[in-house]
Amino acid sequence: MSRFSQSSLVAVLGPTNTGKTHLAIERMCAHSSGMIGFPLRLLAREVYDRVVALKGANRVALVTGEEKIIPKDAQWFLCTAEAMPMDREFAFVAIDEAQIGIDPERGHIFTDRMLHARGRDETMILGSESLRPLIEYLLPDAEIITRPRFSTLSYAGSRKLSRLPKRSAIVAFSLEDVYAIAEMLRRQHGGAAIVMGSLSPQTRNAQVKMYQDGEVDYLVATDAIGMGLNLDVAHVAFAALKKFDGHRRRRLTLAEIGQIAGRAGRHQKDGSFGVLSGLASSDALQAEDIDNLESHRFPKLDWLYWRNADPDFGSVERLIRSLEEKPQIQRLHAAPEAVDLAVLKRLAMDPALVRLAGSPDKVRLLWEAACIPDFRKVGSDHQARFIASLWSHLAEGAGVIPHARMAQEIARLENVQGDIATLGARIAAARSWSYIAQKSHWVEQPEAMIDRTRALESRLSDAMHALLTQRFVDKRTRVLMRGLLKDTLAQDVAVDDDGRVLVEGQEIGTLKGFQFLVPSDSRREDRKMLLAAAERYLGRIMTDNADALAKAPDSVLALVPDAAGQPAILWGDSRLAVLSKGKTLLQPEIRFERSIKDMAAEDSQKVIDRVKAWVEAMKAKHLQGLVKIDVLANEPETPAAVRALFAQIVDAGGILSRRDIDQAVRALDNDMRGHARRAGLVFGALDIFHHALMKPGAVLWRTALFAAFDGQPMIEQTPDNAVHLKQGTFVGADHASRLGFRKVADEYVRVDMVERLVKQAHEARQQGEIFAIDPALATSLGLSKAGHEALLALAGFAKTDEKPVVQEKPVADASQAPQSGADGSDAAVEEAAAPDEAPAAAVAPDDAKADSVAPPEAAVAAVQYWRWKGMARNAKRSQFKSRTKHQKQDKPAPVKRKAEPVLATAGGAFAELAVLREQMKK
């Protein structure tokens, strides 16, 4: 440290990654006071935080154009070069990145600070080795110290973007290129941080922190990355070697390339640089360039830009002339016309504005206004108009910008909605007002405006960071890529209660049973990667789920119509399979979801076997009678006529209109009918059906099997245990029958209840030839009077206006009572007269009364009387066609019968029976 005490002026030169800034911080903190000027507000803020940690916030100041934190006892100042308070005395002063003196826009500021900013005890100039000749010429008394790079920088050649190593920074020189590269990195590697000069310092800080914290492995930046940002970069890749510098498109100088490439490597950690594949050969780095970059040999600077730092404020014209003066010192060149001078010239063209600058103080004020930075990058013309709108307030009256004007402008910018470009424009405008608010003598309420503009920039910056992160960072992709590329890397995989699949806390989709659903917000190009990740991560979970399903009770599965009406088998919310047309109605094909077929073979087979077993169990539970009939229809022991009937019953799902199979029924003798009844069939007056198929479960499965066999949507189910529908919206004519209902006029009644009503009517016939039927049962079922009468008419009963003849009943002679003969004639009479009684399982509601009740005498006049006229019989052969293999089986031999009348009445049946008995007696 003694070498620094021997000289008040020291130039520390060397390439990047030499610790020059760290050395300056140490030297400043060793003095009683100090100041360092930086090229970026972001870098000044970074060092400010470090010094605050060492010295305390009450003794450290931050001074930039847009932000001033100056405690009362401040001793150490961290500033941007333009904002350095040159009128204060400090024991130590340093200027960082002094070689920026070659920059056309800002170079004259760094040249002036290098020539005139001095510390009382020590001054330090930090810069590139290329600055050495100018230091030796302009500052011959300065001690020059060379700081070598701590690590090696090597050329890594050309690489594809997808092949770049982690911790890489990709440098581009246009907004379009930055966004395009960041988007590709998002798709391939999960995202990238963005660093551009147009971003606010807060946004850049947030993006850099995201990169430094390892949330993303890649950084996309403009050449702003070369200005002293301390980043953990292992590799720098150039997407281009040309840029537009505000005047023309030119190739980067070797020093500029070296400044940016030197960001690779940190302290003693080696770094590398290269270019992206696809760079034009004319733009590629030559072998000599690569050697110079690796050896840190750059062309020496022969001159720096200069502008008069002490201009003449006698008048606007004299001010402009003094700013355009030529330097009197060799190796200093007049700076090109910067934006501030261009703005001043345009303001000077307006006589009204010039008249307001009638004194040196007003001229100085006008120049101060013209120096407001063009944060919006709108150019000198637009910037001049903006300054002109403020100048009249500053030059006249109280000399301040009205509070209402500033508040209105700030309020207009407080919208945090919009795209990246829109937010960027608002942030730039907010920075302009932040800069103005820092000029306390320009503003009515400076403290309030400083707080408000600072809060505005903070909110906009947060919104911009969130938007950049949302667009260019996909944490989910990053997590998945890390897992997919490293097979040995263990990652935390979990499925929460809602089925969300989380990998390292990032949702990659939803698991419903065995089906993995990609998030709805995922991009199309990400779907393949998410599915691959699911296959990788969910293997164990799928196995556990398959084992759980294999051991689960039948109640965990359900048969429901899906969105298209297909009969689907669900496990919870997950669809496992659908039923489709099979060989027969009772043998549907089970089509499993692709997700199940894509599982491991062993797991897939477990699920398939469990679902098939469940389907068989459900058929046995809900369709046991129909399954039994189907088995009997294929047994040789079953009579051929019964087999034919059974086949038609099975094809009809267990319910058939009696008229449709009238001939087949008449072909059955008593034994055959007994065989059918033992199988559970009910021979009703209007329908033949299996008594157990009226239950809700049976109805559901029958309609599902029909939907699968016909390739049609499932019929909408009726309410459980419904026995009457006032109206129905059935698409197909046979839909009501498949649900177990018969149409009666405009109403629908369940077929077993139809038979109970018909049975009740036949029981009422015992009253005599003219009889009344109690409507209580029909009413309890919800059937209207018109519907009840229509049903009775359909069953062979006719209304009559006649009254029953009241007479004494003779005592019944048991010897004359009809007996069941061996020929089964009584059974035939029973068939003609009344339906079978439905089994106990099919009962009417509690308030239904099957027994006839004689109407009270007071209501005799209102009683409707009926007589039996007989049912119309279908004279044609059965038109019902079997759709299954039963159609090919043996058919019963035709039964020779005498010609029968079209109407088969109960009276006719009893008459025939009487004739037969008389013949037998003779």
Side-chain angles (χ1 to χ4, degrees):
M1 300 294 290
S2 60
R3 65 189 306 176
F4 292 102
S5 61
Q6 296 172 4
S7 174
S8 62
L9 180 59
V10 178
V12 182
L13 308 178
T16 54
N17 192 18
T18 60
K20 297 189 296 292
T21 304
H22 182 71
L23 176 62
I25 296 171
E26 285 186 343
R27 294 304 305 155
M28 181 186 72
C29 291
H31 288 275
S32 59
S33 63
M35 174 176 65
I36 304 177
F38 296 98
L40 294 174
R41 174 186 173 190
L42 181 63
L43 187 56
R45 181 75 198 210
E46 179 184 329
V47 176
Y48 166 78
D49 292 336
R50 290 169 62 183
V51 178
V52 165
L54 295 172
K55 298 295 186 179
N58 63 322
R59 303 169 68 191
V60 184
L62 174 67
V63 183
T64 69
E66 304 144 73
E67 187 175 16
K68 288 184 175 62
I69 303 175
I70 308 177
K72 180 180 179 182
D73 299 326
Q75 297 170 258
W76 295 277
F77 280 62
L78 293 312
C79 319
T80 52
E82 289 86 346
M84 293 173 69
M86 299 294 289
D87 56 346
R88 293 186 61 150
E89 182 181 273
F90 297 94
F92 173 89
V93 171
I95 178 71
D96 191 23
E97 304 289 359
Q99 74 277 2
I100 296 177
I102 197 67
D103 181 74
E105 185 70 29
R106 305 173 64 204
H108 62 88
I109 298 291
F110 285 81
T111 300
D112 177 73
R113 302 299 186 257
M114 186 178 72
L115 295 176
H116 300 110
R118 293 292 181 268
R120 183 180 65 249
D121 299 327
E122 183 178 349
T123 301
M124 184 177 288
I125 298 171
L126 312 176
S128 168
E129 181 65 29
S130 61
L131 197 60
R132 181 181 289 270
L134 293 172
I135 296 291
E136 292 175 345
Y137 180 81
L138 297 173
L139 305 171
D141 296 333
E143 178 182 0
I144 299 177
I145 299 174
T146 301
R147 297 277 292 191
R149 182 181 169 92
F150 292 145
S151 60
T152 301
L153 181 66
S154 58
Y155 181 63
S158 174
R159 295 186 182 183
K160 292 182 178 180
L161 189 65
S162 60
R163 299 293 183 182
L164 290 179
K166 292 183 177 180
R167 315 311 296 167
S168 288
I170 300 91
V171 181
F173 299 100
S174 71
L175 191 65
E176 294 78 8
D177 287 347
V178 168
Y179 289 168
I181 292 169
E183 175 64 21
M184 286 188 283
L185 287 171
R186 185 200 66 78
R187 296 180 186 178
Q188 296 171 359
H189 298 288
I194 305 293
V195 173
M196 299 185 297
S198 59
L199 297 178
S200 69
Q202 182 173 332
T203 303
R204 276 183 287 176
N205 270 336
Q207 290 286 302
V208 167
K209 184 178 186 300
M210 185 171 62
Y211 173 80
Q212 291 292 88
D213 291 347
E215 294 181 34
V216 292
D217 292 322
Y218 298 88
L219 181 78
V220 185
T222 59
D223 50 353
I225 192 178
M227 292 294 178
L229 289 176
N230 294 314
L231 299 170
D232 184 16
V233 174
H235 178 79
V236 171
F238 289 87
L241 292 175
K242 289 183 178 179
K243 75 169 186 176
F244 181 76
D245 63 3
H247 301 281
R248 61 187 177 88
R249 183 173 175 80
R250 63 173 178 82
R251 183 182 173 88
L252 298 176
T253 66
L254 198 62
E256 288 172 328
I257 296 174
Q259 180 77 16
I260 298 170
R263 292 299 153 192
R266 190 165 188 181
H267 197 59
Q268 296 182 352
K269 185 177 180 180
D270 294 340
S272 61
F273 68 98
V275 296
L276 289 184
S277 299
L279 208 63
S281 57
S282 59
D283 294 337
L285 290 170
Q286 303 303 314
E288 183 180 358
D289 295 334
I290 294 171
D291 182 56
N292 288 331
L293 288 168
E294 290 180 334
S295 303
H296 312 296
R297 293 191 303 266
F298 305 110
K300 305 303 182 183
L301 296 178
D302 297 327
W303 49 269
L304 297 174
Y305 283 119
W306 174 90
R307 190 172 75 180
N308 188 356
D310 187 21
D312 184 353
F313 294 107
S315 67
V316 174
E317 182 180 356
R318 289 164 60 182
L319 172 61
I320 294 173
R321 190 164 52 247
S322 65
L323 290 171
E324 292 181 329
E325 286 181 5
K326 304 297 180 183
Q328 303 300 312
I329 304 175
Q330 290 186 356
R331 301 205 178 188
L332 295 181
H333 290 187
E337 184 179 272
V339 173
D340 53 2
L341 180 55
V343 168
L344 179 63
K345 287 183 175 181
R346 282 160 177 74
L347 294 173
M349 295 171 64
D350 187 341
L353 297 178
V354 173
R355 280 196 297 270
L356 295 177
S359 66
D361 288 340
K362 290 297 178 66
V363 173
R364 184 186 298 272
L365 182 62
L366 179 61
W367 174 234
E368 192 177 355
C371 289
I372 296 175
D374 181 18
F375 293 111
R376 298 174 297 165
K377 304 299 179 186
V378 294
S380 55
D381 286 337
H382 285 82
Q383 183 72 357
R385 286 196 287 271
F386 173 63
I387 302 300
S389 70
L390 304 176
W391 174 237
S392 59
H393 299 301
L394 297 175
E396 295 181 312
V400 294
I401 300 171
H403 180 75
R405 164 75 189 277
M406 283 198 69
Q408 182 181 7
E409 293 290 344
I410 293 171
R412 187 173 57 85
L413 299 172
E414 287 180 335
N415 182 5
V416 296
Q417 303 300 317
D419 56 17
I420 292 175
T422 301
L423 284 180
R426 291 195 191 116
I427 289 174
R431 293 180 69 186
S432 297
W433 290 107
S434 293
Y435 183 94
I436 292 169
Q438 293 294 336
K439 304 284 186 179
S440 58
H441 55 291
W442 287 10
V443 184
E444 282 188 346
Q445 301 178 22
E447 292 184 1
M449 286 296 100
I450 288 172
D451 290 342
R452 189 168 177 184
T453 54
R454 184 180 298 163
L456 170 63
E457 185 179 343
S458 178
R459 286 196 301 274
L460 291 173
S461 297
D462 287 342
M464 173 66 89
H465 172 62
L467 199 58
L468 289 171
T469 303
Q470 178 184 0
R471 177 171 174 182
F472 298 120
V473 177
D474 190 336
K475 295 182 180 179
R476 178 171 58 205
T477 301
R478 179 176 174 275
V479 167
L480 296 183
M481 289 302 300
R482 186 173 63 182
L484 293 175
L485 294 176
K486 293 186 177 181
D487 293 337
T488 59
L489 183 63
Q491 290 187 289
D492 180 28
V493 182
V495 180
D496 67 11
D497 294 338
D498 296 327
R500 295 186 306 157
V501 180
L502 306 175
V503 179
E504 299 291 335
Q506 294 298 316
E507 181 183 353
I508 69 169
T510 303
L511 184 63
K512 289 189 174 182
F514 300 99
Q515 186 178 15
F516 176 77
L517 303 177
V518 174
S520 58
D521 61 346
S522 61
R523 296 174 172 86
R524 184 175 59 182
E525 59 270 18
D526 294 339
R527 294 180 63 86
K528 183 181 293 186
M529 181 186 61
L530 290 170
L531 292 172
E535 184 177 354
R536 167 185 170 83
Y537 293 122
L538 298 179
R540 176 183 55 79
I541 296 173
M542 291 293 195
T543 298
D544 292 344
N545 285 352
D547 290 338
L549 177 60
K551 300 174 182 178
D554 288 341
S555 58
V556 302
L557 296 174
L559 177 70
V560 297
D562 63 11
Q566 292 180 294
I569 300 172
L570 301 187
W571 180 31
D573 295 333
S574 175
R575 191 168 82 162
L576 302 181
V578 294
L579 302 181
S580 62
K581 185 173 183 178
K583 294 179 180 180
T584 66
L585 180 70
L586 288 176
Q587 294 178 312
E589 179 185 351
I590 304 175
R591 289 193 290 108
F592 289 89
E593 292 295 308
R594 183 179 182 85
S595 59
I596 293 175
K597 296 179 180 179
D598 290 342
M599 293 165 57
E602 183 178 354
D603 296 335
S604 177
Q605 196 59 48
K606 288 179 184 177
V607 176
I608 291 173
D609 291 345
R610 181 66 184 91
V611 172
K612 287 182 177 179
W614 180 79
V615 171
E616 293 302 318
M618 292 300 101
K619 287 195 300 182
K621 177 180 179 180
H622 299 294
L623 304 177
Q624 181 182 13
L626 198 59
V627 172
K628 179 180 178 182
I629 291 175
D630 185 49
V631 172
L632 292 173
N634 290 280
E635 288 185 353
E637 294 81 5
T638 305
V642 178
R643 289 207 308 269
L645 174 64
F646 282 175
Q648 295 181 81
I649 288 289
V650 170
D651 285 344
I655 302 175
L656 265 176
S657 171
R658 184 160 181 161
R659 286 178 59 86
D660 291 337
I661 54 172
D662 183 60
Q663 297 297 329
V665 173
R666 288 178 176 276
L668 303 179
D669 59 22
N670 280 354
D671 290 338
M672 294 177 182
R673 293 190 185 214
H675 200 107
R677 289 191 183 96
R678 285 191 295 274
L681 283 186
V682 176
F683 288 86
L686 300 178
D687 296 287
I688 297 176
F689 57 92
H690 193 286
H691 67 84
L693 298 182
M694 301 298 108
K695 297 178 180 179
V699 174
L700 172 67
W701 273 89
R702 284 193 302 108
T703 55
L705 294 178
F706 274 120
F709 194 85
D710 297 336
Q712 298 294 328
M714 285 181 63
I715 304 170
E716 184 178 353
Q717 303 295 293
T718 59
D720 288 351
N721 297 317
V723 295
H724 170 257
L725 302 175
K726 290 186 177 180
Q727 58 184 2
T729 56
F730 300 106
V731 177
D734 58 347
H735 284 188
S737 175
R738 290 180 177 180
L739 290 170
F741 285 80
R742 167 173 280 277
K743 186 174 183 181
V744 179
D746 293 331
E747 302 173 68
Y748 293 86
V749 183
R750 207 171 70 188
V751 294
D752 56 337
M753 293 297 106
V754 167
E755 298 305 331
R756 292 190 66 84
L757 290 169
V758 173
K759 181 176 182 294
Q760 178 200 29
H762 280 289
E763 290 173 345
R765 288 173 56 193
Q766 298 176 10
Q767 302 172 24
E769 185 178 351
I770 306 299
F771 50 89
I773 301 175
D774 186 4
L777 177 58
T779 302
S780 69
L781 298 178
L783 188 61
S784 66
K785 178 181 179 182
H788 188 203
E789 292 179 350
L791 172 60
L792 293 174
L794 188 64
F797 296 89
K799 292 193 294 186
T800 180
D801 294 332
E802 299 180 46
K803 299 289 191 299
V805 178
V806 179
Q807 52 183 324
E808 294 183 6
K809 290 185 179 182
V811 178
D813 185 355
S815 63
Q816 299 298 321
Q819 301 291 328
S820 293
D823 58 0
S825 55
D826 279 355
V829 173
E830 177 196 3
E831 281 300 330
D836 288 344
E837 183 172 354
V843 296
D846 294 339
D847 57 349
K849 298 180 180 178
D851 297 332
S852 296
V853 178
E857 294 182 4
V860 169
V863 173
Q864 175 64 57
Y865 290 100
W866 298 83
R867 69 165 59 244
W868 168 251
K869 68 180 181 63
M871 292 178 57
R873 181 171 57 82
N874 190 358
K876 297 182 181 180
R877 294 182 61 83
S878 174
Q879 300 299 315
F880 190 88
K881 302 295 184 181
S882 174
R883 296 174 298 178
T884 69
K885 62 185 180 181
H886 301 302
Q887 191 174 8
K888 299 180 180 180
Q889 293 183 354
D890 296 337
K891 301 201 172 161
V895 179
K896 293 184 179 180
R897 294 178 177 270
K898 294 181 180 180
E900 295 179 324
V902 173
L903 282 180
T905 66
F910 279 114
E912 289 181 11
L913 182 60
V915 172
L916 288 172
R917 284 178 176 162
E918 288 298 326
Q919 291 176 350
M920 291 176 65
K921 288 179 181 179
K922 294 178 180 179

